[in-house]
PDB file of all heavy atoms in Angstrom:
ATOM      1  N   PRO D  29     -29.255  10.665  25.432  1.00 90.00           N
ATOM      2  CA  PRO D  29     -29.538  11.697  26.439  1.00 90.00           C
ATOM      3  C   PRO D  29     -28.571  11.669  27.618  1.00 90.00           C
ATOM      4  O   PRO D  29     -28.187  12.714  28.131  1.00 90.00           O
ATOM      5  CB  PRO D  29     -30.968  11.366  26.896  1.00 90.00           C
ATOM      6  CG  PRO D  29     -31.565  10.646  25.728  1.00 90.00           C
ATOM      7  CD  PRO D  29     -30.451   9.867  25.101  1.00 90.00           C
ATOM      8  N   ALA D  30     -28.160  10.476  28.044  1.00 90.00           N
ATOM      9  CA  ALA D  30     -27.270  10.378  29.213  1.00 90.00           C
ATOM     10  C   ALA D  30     -25.937  11.076  28.933  1.00 90.00           C
ATOM     11  O   ALA D  30     -25.346  11.689  29.831  1.00 90.00           O
ATOM     12  CB  ALA D  30     -27.034   8.915  29.564  1.00 90.00           C
ATOM     13  N   VAL D  31     -25.467  11.002  27.688  1.00 88.00           N
ATOM     14  CA  VAL D  31     -24.203  11.667  27.322  1.00 88.00           C
ATOM     15  C   VAL D  31     -24.394  13.180  27.388  1.00 88.00           C
ATOM     16  O   VAL D  31     -23.555  13.913  27.928  1.00 88.00           O
ATOM     17  CB  VAL D  31     -23.756  11.234  25.908  1.00 88.00           C
ATOM     18  CG1 VAL D  31     -22.541  12.042  25.451  1.00 88.00           C
ATOM     19  CG2 VAL D  31     -23.442   9.756  25.888  1.00 88.00           C
ATOM     20  N   GLN D  32     -25.518  13.651  26.832  1.00 90.00           N
ATOM     21  CA  GLN D  32     -25.803  15.096  26.875  1.00 90.00           C
ATOM     22  C   GLN D  32     -25.846  15.591  28.321  1.00 90.00           C
ATOM     23  O   GLN D  32     -25.257  16.620  28.664  1.00 90.00           O
ATOM     24  CB  GLN D  32     -27.134  15.390  26.183  1.00 90.00           C
ATOM     25  CG  GLN D  32     -27.105  15.152  24.699  1.00 90.00           C
ATOM     26  CD  GLN D  32     -28.502  15.050  24.110  1.00 90.00           C
ATOM     27  OE1 GLN D  32     -29.497  15.376  24.751  1.00 90.00           O
ATOM     28  NE2 GLN D  32     -28.562  14.581  22.872  1.00 90.00           N
ATOM     29  N   ASP D  33     -26.518  14.854  29.201  1.00 91.00           N
ATOM     30  CA  ASP D  33     -26.652  15.289  30.600  1.00 91.00           C
ATOM     31  C   ASP D  33     -25.298  15.299  31.302  1.00 91.00           C
ATOM     32  O   ASP D  33     -25.015  16.178  32.120  1.00 91.00           O
ATOM     33  CB  ASP D  33     -27.637  14.391  31.346  1.00 91.00           C
ATOM     34  CG  ASP D  33     -29.078  14.643  30.894  1.00 91.00           C
ATOM     35  OD1 ASP D  33     -29.267  15.557  30.049  1.00 91.00           O
ATOM     36  OD2 ASP D  33     -29.983  13.935  31.360  1.00 91.00           O
ATOM     37  N   ALA D  34     -24.469  14.307  30.978  1.00 92.00           N
ATOM     38  CA  ALA D  34     -23.140  14.243  31.610  1.00 92.00           C
ATOM     39  C   ALA D  34     -22.305  15.464  31.201  1.00 92.00           C
ATOM     40  O   ALA D  34     -21.622  16.071  32.027  1.00 92.00           O
ATOM     41  CB  ALA D  34     -22.430  12.948  31.206  1.00 92.00           C
ATOM     42  N   ILE D  35     -22.381  15.821  29.912  1.00 91.00           N
ATOM     43  CA  ILE D  35     -21.627  17.000  29.436  1.00 91.00           C
ATOM     44  C   ILE D  35     -22.181  18.261  30.095  1.00 91.00           C
ATOM     45  O   ILE D  35     -21.435  19.111  30.581  1.00 91.00           O
ATOM     46  CB  ILE D  35     -21.710  17.099  27.889  1.00 91.00           C
ATOM     47  CG1 ILE D  35     -20.968  15.927  27.247  1.00 91.00           C
ATOM     48  CG2 ILE D  35     -21.145  18.432  27.405  1.00 91.00           C
ATOM     49  CD1 ILE D  35     -21.203  15.779  25.756  1.00 91.00           C
ATOM     50  N   PHE D  36     -23.509  18.360  30.152  1.00 91.00           N
ATOM     51  CA  PHE D  36     -24.152  19.538  30.749  1.00 91.00           C
ATOM     52  C   PHE D  36     -23.744  19.697  32.222  1.00 91.00           C
ATOM     53  O   PHE D  36     -23.438  20.777  32.704  1.00 91.00           O
ATOM     54  CB  PHE D  36     -25.677  19.399  30.613  1.00 91.00           C
ATOM     55  CG  PHE D  36     -26.420  20.678  30.853  1.00 91.00           C
ATOM     56  CD1 PHE D  36     -26.181  21.802  30.079  1.00 91.00           C
ATOM     57  CD2 PHE D  36     -27.360  20.765  31.871  1.00 91.00           C
ATOM     58  CE1 PHE D  36     -26.867  22.991  30.299  1.00 91.00           C
ATOM     59  CE2 PHE D  36     -28.052  21.955  32.109  1.00 91.00           C
ATOM     60  CZ  PHE D  36     -27.802  23.062  31.321  1.00 91.00           C
ATOM     61  N   ARG D  37     -23.704  18.535  32.929  1.00 93.00           N
ATOM     62  CA  ARG D  37     -23.308  18.524  34.338  1.00 93.00           C
ATOM     63  C   ARG D  37     -21.902  19.106  34.519  1.00 93.00           C
ATOM     64  O   ARG D  37     -21.652  19.885  35.421  1.00 93.00           O
ATOM     65  CB  ARG D  37     -23.299  17.067  34.802  1.00 93.00           C
ATOM     66  CG  ARG D  37     -23.848  16.830  36.160  1.00 93.00           C
ATOM     67  CD  ARG D  37     -23.745  15.332  36.420  1.00 93.00           C
ATOM     68  NE  ARG D  37     -25.029  14.707  36.449  1.00 93.00           N
ATOM     69  CZ  ARG D  37     -25.862  14.750  37.500  1.00 93.00           C
ATOM     70  NH1 ARG D  37     -25.535  15.422  38.569  1.00 93.00           N
ATOM     71  NH2 ARG D  37     -27.011  14.137  37.477  1.00 93.00           N
ATOM     72  N   ARG D  38     -21.004  18.728  33.637  1.00 93.00           N
ATOM     73  CA  ARG D  38     -19.615  19.228  33.733  1.00 93.00           C
ATOM     74  C   ARG D  38     -19.566  20.733  33.515  1.00 93.00           C
ATOM     75  O   ARG D  38     -18.848  21.446  34.201  1.00 93.00           O
ATOM     76  CB  ARG D  38     -18.732  18.540  32.674  1.00 93.00           C
ATOM     77  CG  ARG D  38     -18.390  17.129  33.046  1.00 93.00           C
ATOM     78  CD  ARG D  38     -17.269  16.636  32.188  1.00 93.00           C
ATOM     79  NE  ARG D  38     -16.065  17.455  32.399  1.00 93.00           N
ATOM     80  CZ  ARG D  38     -14.849  16.977  32.401  1.00 93.00           C
ATOM     81  NH1 ARG D  38     -14.657  15.698  32.210  1.00 93.00           N
ATOM     82  NH2 ARG D  38     -13.816  17.767  32.578  1.00 93.00           N
ATOM     83  N   VAL D  39     -20.346  21.209  32.524  1.00 91.00           N
ATOM     84  CA  VAL D  39     -20.373  22.650  32.231  1.00 91.00           C
ATOM     85  C   VAL D  39     -20.926  23.415  33.439  1.00 91.00           C
ATOM     86  O   VAL D  39     -20.383  24.447  33.847  1.00 91.00           O
ATOM     87  CB  VAL D  39     -21.220  22.937  30.970  1.00 91.00           C
ATOM     88  CG1 VAL D  39     -21.397  24.437  30.764  1.00 91.00           C
ATOM     89  CG2 VAL D  39     -20.561  22.304  29.744  1.00 91.00           C
ATOM     90  N   ILE D  40     -22.017  22.874  34.053  1.00 91.00           N
ATOM     91  CA  ILE D  40     -22.612  23.536  35.225  1.00 91.00           C
ATOM     92  C   ILE D  40     -21.587  23.617  36.356  1.00 91.00           C
ATOM     93  O   ILE D  40     -21.386  24.670  36.971  1.00 91.00           O
ATOM     94  CB  ILE D  40     -23.860  22.768  35.727  1.00 91.00           C
ATOM     95  CG1 ILE D  40     -24.961  22.797  34.681  1.00 91.00           C
ATOM     96  CG2 ILE D  40     -24.388  23.384  37.024  1.00 91.00           C
ATOM     97  CD1 ILE D  40     -26.075  21.790  34.954  1.00 91.00           C
ATOM     98  N   ALA D  41     -20.917  22.490  36.609  1.00 90.00           N
ATOM     99  CA  ALA D  41     -19.946  22.447  37.714  1.00 90.00           C
ATOM    100  C   ALA D  41     -18.856  23.487  37.488  1.00 90.00           C
ATOM    101  O   ALA D  41     -18.456  24.199  38.412  1.00 90.00           O
ATOM    102  CB  ALA D  41     -19.337  21.055  37.815  1.00 90.00           C
ATOM    103  N   ARG D  42     -18.415  23.592  36.247  1.00 89.00           N
ATOM    104  CA  ARG D  42     -17.349  24.552  35.946  1.00 89.00           C
ATOM    105  C   ARG D  42     -17.869  25.989  36.135  1.00 89.00           C
ATOM    106  O   ARG D  42     -17.195  26.833  36.689  1.00 89.00           O
ATOM    107  CB  ARG D  42     -16.844  24.348  34.512  1.00 89.00           C
ATOM    108  CG  ARG D  42     -15.389  24.762  34.406  1.00 89.00           C
ATOM    109  CD  ARG D  42     -14.767  24.434  33.073  1.00 89.00           C
ATOM    110  NE  ARG D  42     -15.134  23.124  32.561  1.00 89.00           N
ATOM    111  CZ  ARG D  42     -15.191  22.842  31.265  1.00 89.00           C
ATOM    112  NH1 ARG D  42     -14.954  23.767  30.381  1.00 89.00           N
ATOM    113  NH2 ARG D  42     -15.497  21.648  30.848  1.00 89.00           N
ATOM    114  N   THR D  43     -19.099  26.238  35.682  1.00 87.00           N
ATOM    115  CA  THR D  43     -19.659  27.592  35.786  1.00 87.00           C
ATOM    116  C   THR D  43     -19.870  27.984  37.246  1.00 87.00           C
ATOM    117  O   THR D  43     -19.552  29.095  37.656  1.00 87.00           O
ATOM    118  CB  THR D  43     -21.007  27.652  35.034  1.00 87.00           C
ATOM    119  OG1 THR D  43     -20.802  27.182  33.707  1.00 87.00           O
ATOM    120  CG2 THR D  43     -21.542  29.074  34.980  1.00 87.00           C
ATOM    121  N   LEU D  44     -20.389  27.037  38.055  1.00 86.00           N
ATOM    122  CA  LEU D  44     -20.692  27.359  39.459  1.00 86.00           C
ATOM    123  C   LEU D  44     -19.443  27.648  40.276  1.00 86.00           C
ATOM    124  O   LEU D  44     -19.497  28.348  41.278  1.00 86.00           O
ATOM    125  CB  LEU D  44     -21.470  26.203  40.101  1.00 86.00           C
ATOM    126  CG  LEU D  44     -22.931  26.058  39.672  1.00 86.00           C
ATOM    127  CD1 LEU D  44     -23.553  24.823  40.304  1.00 86.00           C
ATOM    128  CD2 LEU D  44     -23.735  27.301  40.046  1.00 86.00           C
ATOM    129  N   THR D  45     -18.320  27.112  39.854  1.00 86.00           N
ATOM    130  CA  THR D  45     -17.090  27.295  40.637  1.00 86.00           C
ATOM    131  C   THR D  45     -16.140  28.288  39.977  1.00 86.00           C
ATOM    132  O   THR D  45     -14.995  28.429  40.402  1.00 86.00           O
ATOM    133  CB  THR D  45     -16.363  25.947  40.809  1.00 86.00           C
ATOM    134  OG1 THR D  45     -16.169  25.381  39.511  1.00 86.00           O
ATOM    135  CG2 THR D  45     -17.159  24.998  41.675  1.00 86.00           C
ATOM    136  N   ALA D  46     -16.653  29.000  38.956  1.00 88.00           N
ATOM    137  CA  ALA D  46     -15.741  29.863  38.181  1.00 88.00           C
ATOM    138  C   ALA D  46     -15.720  31.307  38.673  1.00 88.00           C
ATOM    139  O   ALA D  46     -15.221  32.182  37.993  1.00 88.00           O
ATOM    140  CB  ALA D  46     -16.140  29.827  36.709  1.00 88.00           C
ATOM    141  N   THR D  47     -16.276  31.582  39.852  1.00 93.00           N
ATOM    142  CA  THR D  47     -16.319  32.965  40.358  1.00 93.00           C
ATOM    143  C   THR D  47     -14.913  33.545  40.450  1.00 93.00           C
ATOM    144  O   THR D  47     -13.995  32.871  40.908  1.00 93.00           O
ATOM    145  CB  THR D  47     -16.994  32.981  41.754  1.00 93.00           C
ATOM    146  OG1 THR D  47     -18.227  32.318  41.631  1.00 93.00           O
ATOM    147  CG2 THR D  47     -17.239  34.410  42.212  1.00 93.00           C
ATOM    148  N   ARG D  48     -14.794  34.815  40.008  1.00 94.00           N
ATOM    149  CA  ARG D  48     -13.459  35.431  39.950  1.00 94.00           C
ATOM    150  C   ARG D  48     -13.067  36.051  41.294  1.00 94.00           C
ATOM    151  O   ARG D  48     -12.862  37.271  41.405  1.00 94.00           O
ATOM    152  CB  ARG D  48     -13.445  36.483  38.839  1.00 94.00           C
ATOM    153  CG  ARG D  48     -13.579  35.909  37.443  1.00 94.00           C
ATOM    154  CD  ARG D  48     -12.392  35.033  37.067  1.00 94.00           C
ATOM    155  NE  ARG D  48     -11.112  35.710  37.205  1.00 94.00           N
ATOM    156  CZ  ARG D  48     -10.473  36.317  36.210  1.00 94.00           C
ATOM    157  NH1 ARG D  48     -10.975  36.308  35.003  1.00 94.00           N
ATOM    158  NH2 ARG D  48      -9.311  36.902  36.427  1.00 94.00           N
ATOM    159  N   ASP D  49     -12.926  35.198  42.317  1.00 95.00           N
ATOM    160  CA  ASP D  49     -12.535  35.689  43.638  1.00 95.00           C
ATOM    161  C   ASP D  49     -11.129  36.284  43.633  1.00 95.00           C
ATOM    162  O   ASP D  49     -10.788  37.076  44.506  1.00 95.00           O
ATOM    163  CB  ASP D  49     -12.626  34.556  44.671  1.00 95.00           C
ATOM    164  CG  ASP D  49     -14.059  34.128  44.921  1.00 95.00           C
ATOM    165  OD1 ASP D  49     -14.943  35.010  44.950  1.00 95.00           O
ATOM    166  OD2 ASP D  49     -14.309  32.921  45.071  1.00 95.00           O
ATOM    167  N   ASP D  50     -10.326  35.897  42.644  1.00 95.00           N
ATOM    168  CA  ASP D  50      -8.956  36.419  42.564  1.00 95.00           C
ATOM    169  C   ASP D  50      -8.940  37.947  42.425  1.00 95.00           C
ATOM    170  O   ASP D  50      -7.983  38.601  42.838  1.00 95.00           O
ATOM    171  CB  ASP D  50      -8.214  35.781  41.389  1.00 95.00           C
ATOM    172  CG  ASP D  50      -8.964  35.984  40.068  1.00 95.00           C
ATOM    173  OD1 ASP D  50     -10.155  35.651  39.991  1.00 95.00           O
ATOM    174  OD2 ASP D  50      -8.338  36.499  39.114  1.00 95.00           O
ATOM    175  N   LEU D  51     -10.021  38.498  41.862  1.00 96.00           N
ATOM    176  CA  LEU D  51     -10.072  39.958  41.686  1.00 96.00           C
ATOM    177  C   LEU D  51     -10.120  40.686  43.028  1.00 96.00           C
ATOM    178  O   LEU D  51      -9.847  41.881  43.103  1.00 96.00           O
ATOM    179  CB  LEU D  51     -11.306  40.342  40.857  1.00 96.00           C
ATOM    180  CG  LEU D  51     -11.347  39.797  39.432  1.00 96.00           C
ATOM    181  CD1 LEU D  51     -12.700  40.066  38.800  1.00 96.00           C
ATOM    182  CD2 LEU D  51     -10.237  40.416  38.594  1.00 96.00           C
ATOM    183  N   LEU D  52     -10.510  39.956  44.089  1.00 97.00           N
ATOM    184  CA  LEU D  52     -10.659  40.585  45.404  1.00 97.00           C
ATOM    185  C   LEU D  52      -9.373  40.571  46.223  1.00 97.00           C
ATOM    186  O   LEU D  52      -9.341  41.125  47.326  1.00 97.00           O
ATOM    187  CB  LEU D  52     -11.764  39.866  46.192  1.00 97.00           C
ATOM    188  CG  LEU D  52     -13.166  39.958  45.583  1.00 97.00           C
ATOM    189  CD1 LEU D  52     -14.121  39.037  46.309  1.00 97.00           C
ATOM    190  CD2 LEU D  52     -13.673  41.391  45.628  1.00 97.00           C
ATOM    191  N   GLU D  53      -8.337  39.945  45.702  1.00 96.00           N
ATOM    192  CA  GLU D  53      -7.082  39.903  46.470  1.00 96.00           C
ATOM    193  C   GLU D  53      -6.609  41.325  46.748  1.00 96.00           C
ATOM    194  O   GLU D  53      -6.660  42.190  45.866  1.00 96.00           O
ATOM    195  CB  GLU D  53      -6.027  39.091  45.700  1.00 96.00           C
ATOM    196  CG  GLU D  53      -6.291  37.599  45.811  1.00 96.00           C
ATOM    197  CD  GLU D  53      -5.463  36.772  44.852  1.00 96.00           C
ATOM    198  OE1 GLU D  53      -4.462  37.313  44.333  1.00 96.00           O
ATOM    199  OE2 GLU D  53      -5.828  35.606  44.613  1.00 96.00           O
ATOM    200  N   GLN D  54      -6.146  41.540  47.980  1.00 95.00           N
ATOM    201  CA  GLN D  54      -5.923  42.914  48.435  1.00 95.00           C
ATOM    202  C   GLN D  54      -4.522  43.433  48.134  1.00 95.00           C
ATOM    203  O   GLN D  54      -4.104  44.453  48.660  1.00 95.00           O
ATOM    204  CB  GLN D  54      -6.247  42.999  49.930  1.00 95.00           C
ATOM    205  CG  GLN D  54      -7.703  42.604  50.184  1.00 95.00           C
ATOM    206  CD  GLN D  54      -8.138  42.803  51.615  1.00 95.00           C
ATOM    207  OE1 GLN D  54      -7.595  43.637  52.325  1.00 95.00           O
ATOM    208  NE2 GLN D  54      -9.135  42.036  52.037  1.00 95.00           N
ATOM    209  N   ASP D  55      -3.806  42.721  47.254  1.00 94.00           N
ATOM    210  CA  ASP D  55      -2.432  43.115  46.913  1.00 94.00           C
ATOM    211  C   ASP D  55      -2.392  44.193  45.837  1.00 94.00           C
ATOM    212  O   ASP D  55      -1.338  44.730  45.532  1.00 94.00           O
ATOM    213  CB  ASP D  55      -1.667  41.884  46.412  1.00 94.00           C
ATOM    214  CG  ASP D  55      -2.360  41.248  45.206  1.00 94.00           C
ATOM    215  OD1 ASP D  55      -3.573  41.497  44.997  1.00 94.00           O
ATOM    216  OD2 ASP D  55      -1.687  40.503  44.462  1.00 94.00           O
ATOM    217  N   SER D  56      -3.537  44.501  45.222  1.00 97.00           N
ATOM    218  CA  SER D  56      -3.554  45.404  44.065  1.00 97.00           C
ATOM    219  C   SER D  56      -4.831  46.229  44.035  1.00 97.00           C
ATOM    220  O   SER D  56      -5.853  45.836  44.619  1.00 97.00           O
ATOM    221  CB  SER D  56      -3.487  44.596  42.754  1.00 97.00           C
ATOM    222  OG  SER D  56      -2.301  43.846  42.674  1.00 97.00           O
ATOM    223  N   LEU D  57      -4.749  47.337  43.327  1.00 98.00           N
ATOM    224  CA  LEU D  57      -5.948  48.075  42.916  1.00 98.00           C
ATOM    225  C   LEU D  57      -6.274  47.587  41.513  1.00 98.00           C
ATOM    226  O   LEU D  57      -5.385  47.535  40.661  1.00 98.00           O
ATOM    227  CB  LEU D  57      -5.637  49.577  42.921  1.00 98.00           C
ATOM    228  CG  LEU D  57      -6.705  50.536  42.390  1.00 98.00           C
ATOM    229  CD1 LEU D  57      -7.978  50.481  43.234  1.00 98.00           C
ATOM    230  CD2 LEU D  57      -6.169  51.979  42.388  1.00 98.00           C
ATOM    231  N   ARG D  58      -7.527  47.198  41.278  1.00 98.00           N
ATOM    232  CA  ARG D  58      -7.906  46.670  39.960  1.00 98.00           C
ATOM    233  C   ARG D  58      -9.048  47.491  39.357  1.00 98.00           C
ATOM    234  O   ARG D  58      -9.920  47.960  40.086  1.00 98.00           O
ATOM    235  CB  ARG D  58      -8.322  45.196  40.052  1.00 98.00           C
ATOM    236  CG  ARG D  58      -7.174  44.274  40.406  1.00 98.00           C
ATOM    237  CD  ARG D  58      -7.619  42.820  40.477  1.00 98.00           C
ATOM    238  NE  ARG D  58      -6.483  41.952  40.775  1.00 98.00           N
ATOM    239  CZ  ARG D  58      -5.992  41.768  42.008  1.00 98.00           C
ATOM    240  NH1 ARG D  58      -6.574  42.337  43.045  1.00 98.00           N
ATOM    241  NH2 ARG D  58      -4.938  40.992  42.194  1.00 98.00           N
ATOM    242  N   VAL D  59      -9.001  47.599  38.045  1.00 98.00           N
ATOM    243  CA  VAL D  59     -10.034  48.336  37.322  1.00 98.00           C
ATOM    244  C   VAL D  59     -10.524  47.438  36.188  1.00 98.00           C
ATOM    245  O   VAL D  59      -9.719  46.952  35.390  1.00 98.00           O
ATOM    246  CB  VAL D  59      -9.465  49.622  36.691  1.00 98.00           C
ATOM    247  CG1 VAL D  59     -10.588  50.459  36.088  1.00 98.00           C
ATOM    248  CG2 VAL D  59      -8.676  50.426  37.699  1.00 98.00           C
ATOM    249  N   LEU D  60     -11.836  47.233  36.119  1.00 98.00           N
ATOM    250  CA  LEU D  60     -12.418  46.406  35.063  1.00 98.00           C
ATOM    251  C   LEU D  60     -13.444  47.244  34.310  1.00 98.00           C
ATOM    252  O   LEU D  60     -14.382  47.777  34.918  1.00 98.00           O
ATOM    253  CB  LEU D  60     -13.085  45.175  35.688  1.00 98.00           C
ATOM    254  CG  LEU D  60     -13.886  44.265  34.768  1.00 98.00           C
ATOM    255  CD1 LEU D  60     -13.006  43.668  33.667  1.00 98.00           C
ATOM    256  CD2 LEU D  60     -14.546  43.149  35.573  1.00 98.00           C
ATOM    257  N   LEU D  61     -13.268  47.373  33.002  1.00 98.00           N
ATOM    258  CA  LEU D  61     -14.232  48.147  32.215  1.00 98.00           C
ATOM    259  C   LEU D  61     -15.454  47.263  31.932  1.00 98.00           C
ATOM    260  O   LEU D  61     -15.374  46.301  31.172  1.00 98.00           O
ATOM    261  CB  LEU D  61     -13.601  48.632  30.911  1.00 98.00           C
ATOM    262  CG  LEU D  61     -12.374  49.548  31.050  1.00 98.00           C
ATOM    263  CD1 LEU D  61     -12.012  50.155  29.693  1.00 98.00           C
ATOM    264  CD2 LEU D  61     -12.597  50.648  32.070  1.00 98.00           C
ATOM    265  N   CYS D  62     -16.581  47.575  32.593  1.00 98.00           N
ATOM    266  CA  CYS D  62     -17.790  46.760  32.450  1.00 98.00           C
ATOM    267  C   CYS D  62     -18.804  47.379  31.493  1.00 98.00           C
ATOM    268  O   CYS D  62     -19.838  46.790  31.212  1.00 98.00           O
ATOM    269  CB  CYS D  62     -18.420  46.496  33.808  1.00 98.00           C
ATOM    270  SG  CYS D  62     -18.260  47.805  35.022  1.00 98.00           S
ATOM    271  N   GLY D  63     -18.485  48.571  30.964  1.00 98.00           N
ATOM    272  CA  GLY D  63     -19.339  49.194  29.951  1.00 98.00           C
ATOM    273  C   GLY D  63     -18.603  50.383  29.367  1.00 98.00           C
ATOM    274  O   GLY D  63     -18.283  51.326  30.071  1.00 98.00           O
TER     275      GLY D  63
END
Side-chain angles (χ1 to χ4, degrees):
V31 173
Q32 292 163 12
D33 288 357
I35 293 169
F36 195 59
R37 221 180 249 281
R38 285 195 62 143
V39 173
I40 295 166
R42 209 173 318 151
T43 306
L44 287 176
T45 54
T47 307
R48 293 295 305 264
D49 292 322
D50 56 307
L51 297 171
L52 296 171
E53 284 168 17
Q54 300 186 26
D55 58 340
S56 299
L57 174 63
R58 293 180 178 81
V59 187
L60 173 61
L61 300 190
C62 33

